[in-house]
Amino acid sequence: MAQGNEKKGAKVFKTKCSQCHTVESGGAHKQGPNLYGFWGRQSGQADGYSYSSANKKSGIMWGEDTLFDYLENPKKYIKGTKMVFAGIKKPKERQDLIAYLKSTCEA
């Protein structure tokens, strides 16, 4: 997969994700879970967040490939997820966001 641009990814996060998610260590859960430490972890594992059973049972390990597919259409990728987000259709935008999340959320 082509490498994304972390700076551009930060802008994508701010405009499309920050309403519902935080990324800093110890950050609060909002409508969606805090994302710090999710990289390389199985879905549905952030302490103190109430995930859908579909998310918890999906068995997805978060990394570049799984995120690239998930972020295109979350409801299609995890049927029954409670994430109310239509997805990011542009591949470059997803790559940029993934670059940002990888650098920011790796524990």
Side-chain angles (χ1 to χ4, degrees), residues 22-24 35-39 100-107:
T22 57
V23 291
E24 62 279 350
L35 298 175
Y36 184 80
F38 89 101
W39 196 269
Y100 170 74
L101 291 174
K102 184 175 184 181
S103 73
T104 310
C105 298
E106 260 185 318

Side-chain angles (χ1 to χ4, degrees), residues 86-98:
I88 300 170
K89 303 306 173 215
K90 295 178 184 166
K92 182 69 179 121
E93 233 175 70
R94 293 199 308 275
Q95 289 165 346
D96 292 343
L97 177 58
I98 289 166

Side-chain angles (χ1 to χ4, degrees), residues 72-88:
E72 183 178 16
N73 188 339
K75 288 193 179 300
K76 184 177 174 190
Y77 195 76
I78 300 179
K79 291 189 183 349
T81 185
K82 64 182 185 180
M83 182 156 139
V84 290
F85 180 64
I88 300 170

Side-chain angles (χ1 to χ4, degrees), residues 8-61:
K8 288 181 181 174
K11 286 183 182 159
V12 174
F13 184 85
K14 189 173 185 202
T15 58
K16 298 191 179 199
C17 313
S18 65
Q19 250 182 292
C20 297
H21 293 282
T22 57
V23 291
E24 62 279 350
S25 178
H29 296 309
K30 292 179 165 181
Q31 184 173 343
N34 168 270
L35 298 175
Y36 184 80
F38 89 101
W39 196 269
R41 185 173 69 197
Q42 190 171 318
S43 64
Q45 304 293 313
D47 285 340
Y49 184 76
S50 176
Y51 288 93
S52 64
S53 60
N55 195 308
K56 286 190 274 192
K57 293 175 183 173
S58 70
I60 294 163
M61 292 297 285

